[in-house]
Amino acid sequence: MPYPLVADISAYQPSELGFFEALKNEGVKAVIIKITEGSNPGTAWYNKLAADQIKNARAVGLKVHAYHFAQYAGTQDAQNEAKWFIQKAKEFGIGSDSYMLADVESQHVGIRQSMTLMPSYKPYRTQVIR
């Protein structure tokens, strides 16, 4: 049985309804939208297109999930990033029926360094599922 198609959406993709209609017409069943990166305090980055991306994905019947681009370096930083993610997810109407994921990788560090972030994932995850 083939897996359903899911699209990774970030601030680089459009937010227009037609874009999400085209995804659905190609067989996409769900989208995972990048809504945050870093933390507040910190970079406090969020996807300024996310509200429209979420609204239009839902309008065409796609399931919407969210992800955070993790950059944390330690327990407190992981918790701060999780809090930032949760805050913005609530603002964007991401509910308990959606997956909230951490994208743990970075083009600024190698895979070996990215793997050192993994011990900090537990406090991040614990903060997100509260």
Side-chain angles (χ1 to χ4, degrees):
M1 178 174 108
Y3 292 100
L5 293 176
V6 177
D8 174 355
I9 307 296
S10 71
Y12 299 110
Q13 279 76 38
S15 59
E16 290 79 19
L17 184 66
F19 174 73
F20 293 96
E21 287 173 335
L23 288 176
K24 184 173 182 171
N25 291 341
E26 291 297 321
V28 170
K29 302 295 184 199
V31 292
I32 305 171
I33 299 175
K34 177 182 178 181
I35 61 171
T36 54
E37 180 176 324
S39 66
N40 184 13
T43 59
W45 183 92
Y46 71 95
N47 178 354
K48 295 183 179 43
L49 298 178
D52 286 336
Q53 290 170 331
I54 291 165
K55 177 185 75 172
N56 288 327
R58 286 178 174 155
V60 301
L62 296 176
K63 181 72 181 140
V64 174
H65 306 289
Y67 77 92
H68 169 80
F69 189 87
Q71 296 182 344
Y72 47 77
T75 300
Q76 187 59 56
D77 203 22
Q79 290 170 337
N80 289 343
E81 289 198 23
K83 288 175 185 174
W84 177 239
F85 183 35
I86 293 162
Q87 174 189 331
K88 297 311 279 186
K90 287 178 180 177
E91 289 175 19
F92 290 131
I94 301 295
S96 61
D97 60 333
S98 296
Y99 291 109
M100 291 181 57
L101 308 161
D103 184 355
V104 183
E105 49 117 351
S106 176
Q107 62 187 12
H108 304 291
V109 295
I111 187 67
R112 184 167 291 161
Q113 210 173 354
S114 292
M115 294 309 291
T116 64
L117 293 174
M118 294 311 289
S120 298
Y121 177 73
K122 185 175 181 180
Y124 173 90
R125 181 181 174 277
T126 301
Q127 190 69 45
V128 170
I129 61 173
R130 281 189 182 165

